[in-house]
Each structure stands twice: as structure tokens, then as C-alpha cells.
Amino acid sequence: MRELFNHTLPATRRRGRAAACNPSGRFERFNTIRTDDGWSGHPDAEQPSLATEVSIDATRSILTRNTSPDVPFDRSVNPYRGCEHGCIYCFARPSHAQLGLSPGLDFETRLTVKPRAPALLAETLARPGYSVRPIAIGTNTDPYQPIERQHRVMRGVLSVLERFGHPVSITTKGAAVVDDVDLLSRLAMRDLVQVTISLTTLDSRLSRALEPRAASPKRRLAMIRALAGAGIPVSVNIAPVIPGLTDHEIEALIQAAAAAGARAARHSVLRLPLEVAPLFRDWLARQRPDAAAKVMGRVREMHGGRDYDPTWHRRMQGQGVHAQLIARRVEAARHRASMVDRLADLRCDLFRVPPPDDNPETGQLALDL
């Protein structure tokens, strides 16, 4: 078990990572603090950089339900837990504490994969009484993070959805999405899929610091072009808008996305639930010390004086003058780019339970389920 620690690792140990420490999660009874007694030097200095570790998640269910009144879906699938993209602002970081791991570096380096996700999904969809509505994927951690190219869980999930004629919406910033253009284009021909690409900034250096192992801004625009060129409906989510750091790019981001072929654009402001707030403040102190006070001041202004306001309908859009200004700028930029705020609804009337088979590529209702 990897040690939890609050101290900042040397840059050589955390190369390619956004977090700098590995603090205990909120469910842990103890917190380890390492100190240097001066006798042998700091032990971190002698160790290699943190490697990504992947373990198998033996979950027996795959469809997650939610009743949140401010999100447009009631069910989702998460092929992975943790995310190697390592976005410092990621609201999913606190979920790692539920595994007894840290929302800090553990979230970026200790991942779990659900190889049985396609088979579990097929089993769930085939149950009598299942009522079809679009499944959202990428609502917690990214289904197209780098390890997807090795494990191909997302491709298996999409194969199941194609067989069942089931609608799906995908949110990603991972370049591996273009590997599935063949499947996605077939789903798109039946109005069964839409893809949202998350854009944070066009500044490649800032992107590398904020989201170190996600696709670069240039690559994400290329992803939009590839998907749109294959007839797949693409939208863009300007998220998160970080006041005092990325909010000046709103118009440029929307215009670039529209030029690449995105049809719709939405936004959400930075939110810092639970352990994300101290991790982000630490990142600001290290990466943008000159802007830290301004950024956090604006964040608190938009969240009622706190780092984060979890209230429904305010948590993602914020409140106050600055939040309203951001919303109006997004709306105006979208109008100038001839974009809409959301893509057309997906079809639910094509859903059919196919005959069972033992095809390992689709994970369909094999006899060993």
C-alpha cells in the first residue's frame, strides 16, 4: 500500500503530475507527516518518479443511477476509477477517498479498470423491465484516458450499445476517442451518440500544468475535426472556466471549436468540492503565485463566499455578477459562432435486446455470466 503524505514531493518524483502531494482522504483515521531529521537527506530525493499502477476492479454492477436535478442524465457508466490525465481541478478526485486512497497523487497514479464492464452492461440491458434512456459516459473520470488504448474497455462498452441500439453521450478530453470513430460513426448514423470535448484553454503550457496527461488543446481541436468529419455530432464544454486564469479565453475557445466542427457549446465554472480545494490552492501557489489571490477571490465570489457551494443549480454555474458575466459571454460567443447550447436528443426507440452470443468482443450474454 502506498504511503499517504502531506509534504510536497520533489519535481523529479512527480514529473507529469499535477498534484504535488498525497494527503489522506476524509475517511482515513491517520495522516502521515514525514520529517527530515538531517541525518540522511530527504528519502524522496533518492526515489524514481511515480509510475502509474493499474489494478482490476471486481465490481458486479456497472450502471450508476443518479437523481441530481441539475444534470441531463439519470444513468452513467464509468469504465475506470482514477484518471491519469491528472487534471488538478477534477471534481472526481474525492471519489478516490472511498477506495482508501488519496485524492492527490493516488488519483493520478493508482487506477482501477473494469474489464467486465461490457459483459455487465449487456447483462443489465437485457434484464426484463429495463427502461431505456441515454447512458452518459465520462461524467466522473475520463473513459478515454491513456490506459484505454491498452485495456479497450470503452470500445467493448460501445460495441454492446451498438448491438442493443442504445443511446449514449460521451464526454472526454482523451485522444483515444478517435480510435473508435468507426463505432461512433455507425452509432451516429442511427442518432444514438453524441460526443462532448472538454476545452479549458488554448495555452498549451497552461494546459500541460493544469491537466498534464490530457490531450493538448491543439490535439483536442483535431479530435473535434476528426469526429465531425465522420458525421458524429460534437459539442464542446468550456470547462472549467477558471476566473482570473482562463476566463479571458472564452470567446477564442468557442470560435476555435466552431471552426473545427463543433455544433454546440456550454460551460461550467470551477468547482472545488472537498479535497479538491486544498489541492487546487497548492497548485496555484506553485504554478501561478502571482494570480492565486485573484483566482481564489473570484472563485469564492461565485460560490457565495466559499471555495465551493454544492447547492443544486448553482454548483456548476456559480452566482453573482462575475458568474452572470461569464454566462452572457458564453451565450454571445455561441450566437456569433452560429452554435446551439445543446445537441438534439438521441433516439430511444431503436433499443432491442439481441439474441445472446459468446462473442468476447461484444461481451454479450456469454454462458459464464
Side-chain angles (χ1 to χ4, degrees):
M1 181 175 180
R2 182 176 291 168
E3 179 186 17
L4 301 174
F5 49 84
N6 267 328
H7 69 276
T8 300
L9 283 186
T12 53
R13 288 214 64 204
R14 52 183 168 85
R15 184 177 293 111
R17 311 295 182 180
C21 57
N22 215 35
S24 301
R26 60 195 179 281
F27 302 117
E28 304 306 308
R29 295 180 60 195
F30 302 105
N31 192 13
T32 302
I33 300 177
R34 184 181 296 176
T35 59
D36 181 7
D37 61 9
W39 285 95
S40 58
H42 202 291
D44 284 329
E46 302 172 2
Q47 298 181 26
S49 59
L50 293 174
T52 300
E53 301 174 11
V54 182
S55 58
I56 301 300
D57 189 323
T59 183
R60 296 183 179 182
S61 62
I62 196 62
L63 205 61
T64 301
R65 304 276 184 167
N66 84 85
T67 57
S68 303
D70 59 350
V71 294
F73 60 88
D74 68 352
R75 65 201 69 184
S76 60
V77 167
N78 294 292
Y80 303 100
R81 302 183 77 168
C83 188
E84 196 175 8
H85 284 161
C87 305
I88 193 60
Y89 52 74
C90 184
F91 61 83
R93 283 181 178 272
S95 65
H96 235 45
Q98 297 168 0
L99 304 178
L101 299 173
S102 172
L105 284 163
D106 278 351
F107 179 78
E108 307 175 37
T109 61
R110 300 190 70 180
L111 317 178
T112 63
V113 58
K114 302 175 184 178
R116 296 195 68 239
L120 291 170
L121 181 60
E123 185 180 53
T124 300
L125 300 184
R127 288 174 183 162
Y130 175 79
S131 178
V132 61
R133 289 192 65 184
I135 290 174
I137 306 181
T139 58
N140 194 47
T141 58
D142 202 311
Y144 285 109
Q145 58 182 286
I147 59 172
E148 166 64 13
R149 284 196 156 127
Q150 175 186 353
H151 294 278
R152 308 297 278 166
V153 178
M154 184 61 178
R155 186 169 182 86
V157 167
L158 289 177
S159 296
V160 170
L161 295 173
E162 182 184 20
R163 288 281 307 275
F164 278 79
H166 197 292
V168 59
S169 65
I170 301 165
T171 300
T172 184
K173 60 185 71 165
V177 68
V178 299
D179 296 346
D180 289 339
V181 162
D182 56 335
L183 271 170
L184 294 170
S185 61
R186 293 199 299 268
L187 287 164
M189 285 190 288
R190 301 164 68 192
D191 296 324
L192 290 174
V193 70
Q194 51 190 226
V195 179
T196 298
I197 303 297
S198 297
L199 278 180
T200 313
T201 177
L202 294 175
D203 182 335
S204 59
R205 293 183 63 183
L206 177 58
S207 176
R208 187 170 179 81
L210 273 172
E211 34 199 30
R213 300 199 179 193
S216 68
K218 183 177 180 180
R219 189 79 175 271
R220 287 183 226 181
L221 294 174
M223 289 154 50
I224 294 173
R225 282 192 291 271
L227 294 168
I232 300 158
V234 186
S235 67
V236 64
N237 193 17
I238 310 302
V241 177
I242 305 175
L245 192 61
T246 66
D247 54 343
H248 66 284
E249 297 188 68
I250 288 172
E251 291 79 7
L253 286 163
I254 291 177
Q255 183 58 48
R263 304 180 193 175
R266 297 177 68 82
H267 83 287
S268 63
V269 300
L270 179 67
R271 48 184 171 133
L272 303 172
L274 301 169
E275 294 95 341
V276 185
L279 288 167
F280 184 76
R281 289 196 302 267
D282 176 72
W283 180 91
L284 278 175
R286 290 182 289 105
Q287 298 285 350
R288 292 293 189 274
D290 55 332
K294 177 182 179 181
V295 170
M296 289 310 301
R298 291 279 177 85
V299 167
R300 291 172 183 135
E301 175 193 332
M302 292 194 299
H303 292 291
R306 296 181 285 173
D307 286 351
Y308 176 58
D309 178 3
T311 306
W312 303 128
H313 305 293
R314 287 209 303 255
R315 57 182 182 150
M316 290 185 282
Q317 301 304 310
Q319 59 182 308
V321 173
H322 200 69
Q324 292 172 9
L325 178 60
I326 288 173
R328 289 175 183 174
R329 287 175 56 197
V330 169
E331 182 180 4
R334 185 170 55 222
H335 178 74
R336 286 194 297 271
S338 299
M339 301 173 82
V340 296
D341 66 339
R342 68 173 65 243
L343 297 170
D345 291 341
L346 298 170
R347 294 186 65 175
C348 294
D349 60 318
L350 301 179
F351 178 76
R352 299 288 186 276
V353 177
D357 67 59
D358 293 329
N359 187 334
E361 287 241 345
T362 64
Q364 299 298 308
L365 305 178
L367 293 177
D368 63 346
L369 285 177

